[in-house]
Amino acid sequence: MARTGRPRKDPREPEDIMRAAGLEPLEPYPGIAAPWRCRHTVCGREVTPRLGNVTTGQGGCVYCSGRARIDPEAAAGVMRAAGLEPLEPYAGTAFPWKSRCTKCGAIVSPRLGSLTGRSRRPSCKPCSDRATGAAQRHGVKYPWRCLCHGCGTITSPTFGSILAGQSGCRRCADLRAAAARREDPSAPPPPCARPASSPWSPTPRP
């Protein structure tokens, strides 16, 4: 039986509405106007949106939308994790933050919100431009020999498979799948770049 407090024009159950908005409920449905403890599946943070706000199109995560107050030290930690060293005090998620790229040394000014929101952008545009240019010269369908920063394995994914959201490292994908099966034996394995029976091998350009 449907519960009261559900939006009149939406036939879905409250949990289904929240999951469609990228929010996984952490407690029973409290009512349309009450804060509801959820985990945002995009950034992993715990948030308390109201079902009524979500059904009217408001974002369910105050962190990704830039509405939450973030401790300056925590904000600096996010920037450093993205490979940037802040060069000025933190002003807010919606403001450009002058930083130095620890990889190439370029001075860039990304917004913190652009590094943590749903549509995440590269932390350093010069590095991103160089990577994109190299990928275009190499081609999207040819294996590309790379070093995995996660496990140190030499792997050869295609740029097209990375753009499609597939794992670039078979070993890391297998480790994640094994960890997921230990937590939930019924969980299906994540998609990988190629089957185990097809080893990577560089393919020359025609």
Side-chain angles (χ1 to χ4, degrees):
M1 180 180 295
R3 290 162 289 180
T4 59
R6 183 175 56 189
R8 294 180 181 178
K9 296 183 180 181
D10 198 320
R12 297 175 296 173
E13 291 295 323
E15 292 83 359
D16 295 333
I17 296 174
M18 298 300 268
R19 291 189 179 107
L23 300 163
E24 182 61 35
L26 301 178
E27 63 182 6
Y29 175 52
I32 190 170
W36 193 357
R37 285 182 58 244
C38 300
R39 187 172 305 283
H40 190 208
T41 56
V42 173
C43 69
R45 293 185 175 94
E46 185 175 314
V47 291
T48 53
R50 292 171 170 80
L51 179 64
N53 293 341
V54 173
T55 57
T56 57
Q58 298 184 31
C61 179
V62 294
Y63 299 99
C64 292
S65 66
R67 300 193 307 270
R69 294 182 179 180
I70 301 178
D71 179 75
E73 285 300 321
V78 173
M79 297 294 276
R80 293 187 179 106
L84 300 172
E85 183 60 36
L87 300 177
E88 61 186 11
Y90 172 61
T93 59
F95 296 92
W97 196 354
K98 187 177 180 182
S99 306
R100 176 182 290 106
C101 176
T102 56
K103 182 177 181 180
C104 72
I107 303 300
V108 293
S109 298
R111 293 171 173 80
L112 183 67
S114 70
L115 304 181
T116 59
R118 180 182 296 272
S119 301
R120 300 188 183 186
R121 299 179 181 178
S123 57
C124 176
K125 191 175 186 301
C127 286
S128 174
D129 289 345
R130 282 192 291 272
T132 301
Q136 290 174 344
R137 290 191 297 271
H138 186 84
V140 298
K141 63 181 180 180
Y142 298 99
W144 197 355
R145 192 167 183 266
C146 303
L147 173 67
C148 175
H149 290 177
C151 66
T153 299
I154 300 296
T155 182
S156 299
T158 64
F159 187 56
S161 69
I162 299 300
L163 292 177
Q166 297 180 12
S167 173
C169 176
R170 178 60 186 268
R171 182 171 184 270
C172 286
D174 289 344
L175 291 174
R176 287 193 295 269
R181 286 194 294 270
R182 285 195 296 270
E183 294 181 2
D184 182 5
S186 63
C192 59
R194 292 192 180 181
S197 59
S198 300
W200 295 107
S201 59
T203 303
R205 297 173 67 97

